[in-house]
């Protein structure tokens, strides 16, 4: 298997077990979240890590998702990502906690108790696409008007050809100095990590892929978070990562989808785990989406009545 298709290492599996079985201690609440998002730590046998704890009791009811299921969908997204052979989603489990059952996920980013400005997964930005200096504009790359991700991988650019390293998504606008609006181009990096994320989102039917959900580790690896509104039986794919829409899937993605579809067979360990997290109809829809994406061999196109772009985009 190519190195770019890393299966979750043993450390990740050990982390998932720690999240599931360790002592969970709530340390504070993350502000500005639509649901209860708690910063916590979990520890056992001398090891302790930071984590996000989202109790089911703190979920805000949604008109199109059954009450009390968002935490289960987060855990299911991690299972599917593992089955694809990718380590994009941080280790995530469903477990009991001080405020009842909920989702527990390894924390990505700085400790928010040490820096109150740090939110879930806040990280240092990575170098934007293009040559050094592209963020400032000039001959080496487009001017970045607004960055929509802490990684710098999704942005509103000056209009025109975004140039090498970027994939255009669509037209947008940003405020100008006069109080009016200036035209802009929504774009994201032409990046293999983002492309895997786009495939993952199509499989899990992610209804809310925003720029703020893309986080960078110090070693440059990408992590993606917030998968509560996924796995709906209706087509609800809503994302900023439309730059590859209609293009052929890379061979890496095809191999990953073959692994997933084989792993989703009735009675398999993966299907058994997912059956405890999703409804039978949702699990069947997941099988059909994965199979249809593999058969089509192309990234999906936006369509239907459902908005293609999440708002706000961060």
């Amino acid at each position: 298997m190519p190195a770019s298709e890393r299966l979750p290492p043993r450390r990740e599996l050990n982390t998932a077990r720690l999240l599931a079985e360790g002592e969970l201690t709530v340390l504070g609440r993350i502000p500005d979240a639509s649901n209860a998002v708690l910063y916590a730590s979990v520890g056992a046998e001398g090891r302790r890590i930071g984590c996000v704890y989202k109790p089911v009791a703190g979920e805000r009811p949604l008109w199109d998702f059954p009450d009390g299921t968002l935490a289960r969908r987060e855990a299911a997204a991690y299972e599917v990502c593992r089955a694809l052979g990718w380590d994009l989603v941080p280790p995530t489990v469903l477990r009991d906690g001080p405020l009842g059952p909920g989702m527990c996920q390894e924390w990505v980013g700085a400790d928010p108790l040490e820096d109150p400005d740090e939110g879930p997964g806040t990280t240092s930005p990575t170098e934007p696409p293009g040559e050094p200096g592209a963020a400032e504009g000039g001959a080496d790359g487009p001017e970045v008007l607004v960055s929509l991700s802490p990684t710098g991988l999704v942005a509103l650019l000056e209009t025109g050809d975004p140039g090498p390293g970027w994939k255009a998504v669509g037209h947008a606008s940003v405020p100008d100095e006069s109080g009016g609006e200036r035209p802009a181009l929504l774009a994201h990096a032409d990046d293999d990590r983002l492309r895997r994320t786009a495939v993952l989102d199509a499989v899990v039917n992610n209804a809310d892929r925003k720029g703020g959900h893309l986080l960078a580790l110090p070693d440059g690896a990408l992590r993606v978070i917030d998968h509560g509104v996924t796995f709906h039986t209706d087509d609800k794919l809503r994302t900023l990562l439309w730059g590859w829409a209609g293009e052929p899937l890379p061979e890496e993605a095809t191999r990953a989808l073959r692994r997933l579809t084989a792993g989703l067979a009735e009675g398999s360990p993966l299907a058994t785990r997912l059956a405890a997290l999703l409804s039978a109809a949702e699990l069947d829809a997941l099988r059909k989406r994965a199979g249809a994406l593999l058969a089509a061999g192309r990234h999906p196109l936006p369509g239907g009545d459902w908005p293609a772009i999440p708002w706000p985009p961060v």
Side-chain angles (χ1 to χ4, degrees):
M1 179 183 298
S4 62
E5 298 179 53
R6 284 190 299 154
L7 287 169
R10 183 172 297 277
R11 178 196 169 277
E12 180 173 325
L13 300 178
N14 290 340
T15 297
R17 181 174 179 179
L18 176 63
L19 290 168
E21 301 177 3
E23 179 186 14
L24 182 62
T25 303
V26 174
L27 302 175
R29 181 165 184 168
I30 304 301
D32 302 326
S34 57
N35 298 296
V37 180
L38 305 175
Y39 178 63
S41 69
V42 62
E45 299 178 355
R47 183 186 176 200
R48 182 165 290 275
I49 62 172
C51 62
V52 176
Y53 168 45
K54 297 183 182 180
V56 171
E59 292 180 6
R60 184 181 64 179
L62 298 174
W63 69 269
D64 52 349
F65 285 84
D67 291 350
T69 67
L70 304 190
R72 294 178 182 274
R73 297 170 194 277
E74 296 248 27
Y78 170 64
E79 292 284 352
V80 170
C81 189
R82 282 186 61 199
L84 285 164
W86 298 332
D87 58 354
L88 292 165
V89 180
T92 309
V93 302
L94 190 72
R95 61 162 292 168
D96 200 12
L99 298 178
M103 181 275 277
C104 188
Q105 182 178 82
E106 183 180 21
W107 180 267
V108 178
D111 187 331
L113 300 183
E114 296 180 1
D115 184 347
D117 293 329
E118 300 286 345
T122 303
T123 57
S124 299
T126 59
E127 183 70 22
E131 298 297 325
E136 290 77 30
D140 290 330
E143 180 184 359
V144 175
L145 303 178
V146 179
S147 179
L148 300 178
S149 169
T151 62
L153 297 175
V154 184
L156 295 175
L157 309 177
E158 62 182 349
T159 56
D161 184 357
W166 290 97
K167 299 290 286 186
V169 175
H171 298 292
S173 61
V174 296
D176 62 20
E177 296 178 355
S178 67
E181 292 189 336
R182 172 182 177 180
L185 178 69
L186 173 61
H188 60 71
D190 189 4
D191 183 288
D192 289 342
R193 300 167 300 171
L194 288 189
R195 195 161 192 175
R196 294 180 198 118
T197 302
V199 173
L200 170 67
D201 286 343
V203 169
V204 303
N205 199 15
N206 193 349
D208 195 35
R209 172 61 71 210
K210 296 177 178 178
H213 302 163
L214 308 171
L215 313 172
L217 297 181
D219 64 1
L222 184 71
R223 293 292 180 270
V224 296
I225 62 170
D226 283 351
H227 298 95
V229 286
T230 49
F231 297 102
H232 203 284
T233 54
D234 296 336
D235 181 10
K236 288 184 176 287
L237 182 58
R238 186 168 59 174
T239 175
L240 298 181
L241 306 180
W242 286 114
W244 297 284
E247 292 187 12
L249 293 171
E251 180 57 30
E252 173 193 348
T254 300
R255 289 193 296 266
L257 288 167
R258 290 195 189 105
R259 284 193 294 269
L260 176 63
T261 53
L264 286 171
E266 291 278 359
S268 69
L270 174 62
T272 299
R273 293 193 299 271
L274 289 174
L277 300 170
L278 304 171
S279 71
E282 289 164 347
L283 181 53
D284 184 55
L286 168 63
R287 290 190 180 101
K288 290 178 179 178
R289 278 194 306 273
L293 191 59
L294 181 60
R298 293 181 177 274
H299 288 272
L301 294 165
D305 298 328
W306 185 250
I309 304 292
W311 191 261
V314 294

